[in-house]
Amino acid sequence: MAFTLRQLQYFVAVAEQGTVSGAAHVLSISQSSVTEAIKDLENDLGVALFQRRARGLDITHEGHQFLRHAAKILADVAEARQAFRARGGPGVGTLSLGVTSLVAGYVLSDLLARYRRAFPGVEIATMEDDGNYLEHLLVGGELDVAVMLLNNLRDRQALQSEILDVSPFRLWLPAGHDLAVRDSIAMEQIVGEPLIMLTVDEIEEATRKLLSAFGARPKVAFRTRSVEAVRSLVATGAGVALLPNLVYRPWSLEGDRIESRDVSGALPVVQVGLVWRRGLTLSAPLREFIALAHSQRMPRLR
């Protein structure tokens, strides 16, 4: 029996929430329905998608691989519906788009590919830069829209924004770390750990502010602009990292496991969204881009 879209939806929800009960709550269905769907999906695929533990589920390597396929299938369905809802078929025109570096790899790539397929007649010009410069270009009319972090948006009077995703900071640990046995970790337990610091899109500033609130100067073991470098360094035990769940993946490129844990206390969240000039008359390509962005939601692993 082939798997169904409903099974994929339930699987993605469990992967995001980390528990059957959490997925059932989000989906507004019974836990038994979720459990049965996951069991049928695993039987159909012939692999275990989750490892069961006392307080929830851990996605397996095979489950993580299938998650990308499941998310793509569900997004393709949403894209097809959006294309048929668009008046007069695929639009024409131009779209000038800006993006910050962290968002480019984790949000924009799939969104842009789907937009090109849904509206092949639109000519798209894309540029990557830091948030401050993108704001300057938006206000000056040189960009139609930007996909970026909204936390430190400066010119809120001149710019309009809409949130696409909210991603909390979590602690990344190598498998076998002493703190990995805990489901939630106090900030005081982290301050003495060597820290791998990501230095893109204001992430470093947010991490330093977080630690300074606890009166601790971070013990930085390594600073890098590469998320993959952070993954590899954490997975091999060089340090821990505090990063938004947006960029978390359970394995490094070398195939080493990375654990992710909640940190108790008031941690910041990263807001990813769309920004355009306030009062701008939205062109058809821009309206279509905004609509498609709202229809796409990629799963975020816990």
Side-chain angles (χ1 to χ4, degrees):
M1 180 181 69
F3 56 74
T4 66
L5 289 177
R6 189 178 301 276
Q7 289 172 342
L8 297 186
Q9 291 169 339
Y10 291 4
F11 164 64
V12 170
V14 173
E16 286 185 318
Q17 300 300 317
T19 63
V20 170
S21 60
H25 176 75
V26 169
L27 296 166
S28 299
I29 59 173
S30 67
Q31 294 187 36
S32 60
S33 296
V34 177
T35 300
E36 183 178 353
I38 298 301
K39 181 180 178 181
D40 289 344
L41 185 58
E42 289 180 323
N43 288 338
D44 179 62
L45 296 173
V47 298
L49 299 173
F50 297 100
Q51 290 179 338
R52 278 68 178 173
R53 54 184 173 84
R55 297 187 179 181
L57 302 172
D58 285 329
I59 194 166
T60 64
H61 189 270
E62 291 80 6
H64 182 253
Q65 290 178 316
F66 185 67
L67 180 62
R68 299 192 65 83
H69 293 293
K72 183 178 185 302
I73 291 169
L74 294 175
D76 282 340
V77 172
E79 175 192 332
R81 288 173 175 158
Q82 177 61 34
F84 278 106
R85 289 188 186 120
R87 296 180 180 177
V92 295
T94 62
L95 182 68
S96 181
L97 175 66
V99 64
T100 49
S101 57
L102 188 68
V103 174
Y106 291 90
V107 177
L108 183 66
S109 54
D110 286 333
L111 173 58
L112 195 56
R114 299 181 189 286
Y115 183 81
R116 290 184 187 277
R117 289 197 296 268
F119 306 101
V122 177
E123 182 180 344
I124 307 171
T126 308
M127 68 167 297
E128 177 186 319
D129 217 304
D130 66 72
N132 291 338
Y133 188 58
L134 293 182
E135 286 191 47
H136 167 73
L137 296 179
L138 288 166
V139 172
E142 298 175 66
L143 286 177
D144 296 319
V145 65
V147 187
M148 56 191 289
L149 300 187
L150 305 180
N151 299 63
N152 293 324
L153 194 64
R154 297 181 307 164
D155 201 343
R156 296 183 182 271
Q157 290 186 337
L159 297 171
Q160 183 170 339
S161 63
E162 288 191 8
I163 298 173
L164 295 178
D165 193 10
V166 176
S167 182
F169 274 70
R170 285 168 63 88
L171 179 67
W172 294 13
L173 300 159
H177 193 283
D178 291 343
L179 294 177
V181 298
R182 302 173 180 267
D183 288 331
S184 182
I185 298 166
M187 181 60 68
E188 291 81 1
Q189 297 173 292
I190 300 172
V191 293
E193 296 285 338
L195 192 66
I196 310 300
M197 187 81 77
L198 184 66
T199 61
V200 297
D201 277 12
E202 303 159 343
I203 298 298
E204 179 177 16
E205 179 184 354
T207 306
R208 288 187 183 278
K209 286 181 179 179
L210 173 62
L211 290 171
S212 66
F214 288 82
R217 183 177 180 179
K219 180 183 175 182
V220 179
F222 199 89
R223 299 173 72 252
T224 177
R225 294 183 59 84
S226 167
V227 179
E228 293 302 337
V230 174
R231 268 194 269 275
S232 294
L233 289 163
V234 169
T236 54
V240 302
L242 281 167
L243 287 174
N245 204 40
L246 171 74
V247 297
Y248 173 70
R249 302 291 182 270
W251 288 275
S252 69
L253 287 176
E254 297 80 13
D256 297 314
R257 176 77 188 186
I258 302 166
E259 302 289 345
S260 174
R261 295 291 184 271
D262 286 324
V263 178
S264 59
L267 265 68
V269 297
V270 164
Q271 296 176 338
V272 180
L274 304 177
V275 183
W276 62 92
R277 191 173 78 250
R278 191 175 296 277
L280 177 68
T281 300
L282 303 186
S283 65
L286 180 51
R287 288 198 308 271
E288 291 155 355
F289 182 81
I290 293 172
L292 190 63
H294 281 296
S295 73
Q296 174 172 307
R297 179 174 176 267
M298 293 299 288
R300 305 295 174 214
L301 294 179
R302 291 182 61 80

